């Protein structure tokens, strides 16, 4: 089954404790992206990647890191989480080439930073 | 920067009614516009994608139109059903914003049986 998986689905942590949210897709998509969703602000793009070893900042990259060492995986790293990073996070992927931009989303990771 | 707006923020209709959801964007130079559905506690599901060269796309009871020059898109849902209750979001990929996507804040739809 074609899918985007994220882990963990729920995470409660404390300020300053490094964490990683994993994202994996099995559709051989070039494009992968991370979003955060906050009430009243909608989805905002954090980082995206056009392919292996190619990452770019979105609108809200501060406090986050990403890496793309393999085509299927795109982990999101919070080196020193803060309470303002409490949010619902989504990973997405798409073929992207030739304008085929249909994005497929993971189920989301709800993060709470105390 | 691209700004995407969806009005209304919430909508409640009786079952069987036809309805229209609106999406507007500030920069008309886009590659495409996509409509998604989001159920509570779930991820987003793609409904329709309209390329910049297209005027509309249809899937079952859903029809999405695109008017680039005015910066607008509408999602028409025919004969609404309680199962259509969800939040509907639109997103654009702009020619002037590289490879980024911009989302509206969504319209929360409730279809009353």
């Amino acid at each position: 089954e074609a899918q985007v998986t994220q882990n963990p689905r729920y995470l409660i942590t404390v300020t300053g404790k490094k964490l990683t949210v994993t994202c994996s897709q099995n559709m051989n998509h070039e494009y992968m992206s991370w979003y955060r969703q906050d009430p009243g602000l909608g989805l905002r793009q954090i980082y995206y990647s056009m392919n292996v070893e190619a990452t770019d900042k979105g609108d809200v990259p501060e406090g986050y890191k990403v890496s793309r060492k393999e085509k299927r995986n795109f982990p999101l790293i919070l080196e020193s989480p803060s309470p303002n990073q409490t949010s619902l996070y989504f990973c997405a992927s798409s073929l992207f080439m030739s304008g085929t931009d249909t994005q497929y989303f993971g189920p989301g990771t709800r993060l709470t930073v105390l | 920067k691209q700004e995407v707006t969806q009005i209304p923020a919430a909508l409640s209709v009786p079952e069987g009614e036809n309805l229209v959801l609106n999406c507007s964007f500030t920069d008309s130079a886009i590659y495409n516009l996509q409509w998604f559905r989001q159920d509570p506690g779930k991820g987003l599901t793609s409904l329709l994608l309209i390329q910049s060269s297209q005027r509309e796309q249809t899937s079952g009871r859903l029809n999405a139109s695109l008017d680039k020059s005015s910066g607008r898109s509408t999602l028409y849902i025919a004969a609404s059903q309680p199962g259509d209750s969800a939040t509907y979001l639109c997103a654009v990929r702009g020619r002037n914003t590289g490879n980024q996507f911009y989302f509206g804040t969504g319209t929360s739809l409730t279809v009353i049986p």
Side-chain angles (χ1 to χ4, degrees):
Chain A
E1 179 190 356
Q3 61 182 350
V4 178
T5 57
Q6 293 179 229
N7 283 292
R9 294 289 314 281
Y10 303 90
L11 179 59
I12 300 174
T13 189
V14 296
T15 299
K17 186 177 181 181
K18 181 180 178 180
L19 67 91
T20 299
V21 184
T22 64
C23 173
S24 183
Q25 51 93 5
N26 62 1
M27 295 169 279
N28 202 35
H29 285 168
E30 287 85 9
Y31 188 94
M32 296 187 74
S33 179
W34 277 102
Y35 297 88
R36 60 178 290 173
Q37 185 175 34
D38 301 289
L41 297 176
L43 272 89
R44 294 177 293 168
Q45 200 163 20
I46 303 171
Y47 270 95
Y48 60 94
S49 169
M50 294 294 294
N51 214 323
V52 174
E53 304 293 0
T55 62
D56 280 293
K57 296 178 181 179
D59 272 359
V60 288
E62 296 77 20
Y64 304 95
K65 282 177 56 178
V66 293
S67 67
R68 187 93 180 270
K69 293 184 170 54
E70 303 169 284
K71 196 172 186 179
R72 62 182 291 126
N73 296 323
F74 191 44
L76 179 69
I77 303 159
L78 284 72
E79 295 270 2
S80 183
S82 62
N84 64 13
Q85 292 178 298
T86 293
S87 187
L88 180 59
Y89 291 87
F90 289 102
C91 180
S93 72
S94 73
L95 270 175
F96 204 72
M97 304 302 290
S98 303
T100 308
D101 288 350
T102 299
Q103 289 194 80
Y104 297 86
F105 278 75
T109 295
R110 187 166 291 281
L111 172 65
T112 302
V113 183
L114 303 174
Chain B
K1 178 185 170 182
Q2 181 76 262
E3 301 281 346
V4 181
T5 304
Q6 291 186 249
I7 294 173
L11 182 63
S12 184
V13 300
E15 181 177 1
E17 193 163 294
N18 302 326
L19 60 100
V20 174
L21 307 180
N22 298 295
C23 172
S24 61
F25 44 96
T26 53
D27 187 345
S28 61
I30 65 170
Y31 283 111
N32 55 57
L33 183 144
Q34 193 167 2
W35 282 94
F36 293 88
R37 168 186 173 134
Q38 184 176 24
D39 293 285
K42 301 285 181 64
L44 281 70
T45 302
S46 178
L47 297 173
L48 291 164
L49 182 145
I50 311 176
Q51 302 289 359
S52 62
S53 58
Q54 299 173 320
R55 295 299 299 268
E56 65 178 322
Q57 282 284 346
T58 298
S59 176
R61 294 183 294 108
L62 305 180
N63 175 275
S65 66
L66 175 64
D67 184 345
K68 269 194 319 178
S69 60
S70 66
R72 293 181 186 176
S73 176
T74 61
L75 179 67
Y76 174 83
I77 302 177
S80 59
Q81 303 171 356
D84 294 331
S85 298
T87 296
Y88 291 81
L89 300 103
C90 64
V92 298
R93 179 185 161 216
R95 293 184 181 275
N96 297 325
T97 52
N99 300 311
Q100 287 187 238
F101 289 86
Y102 289 89
F103 280 78
T105 51
T107 294
S108 178
L109 173 66
T110 301
V111 180
I112 303 166

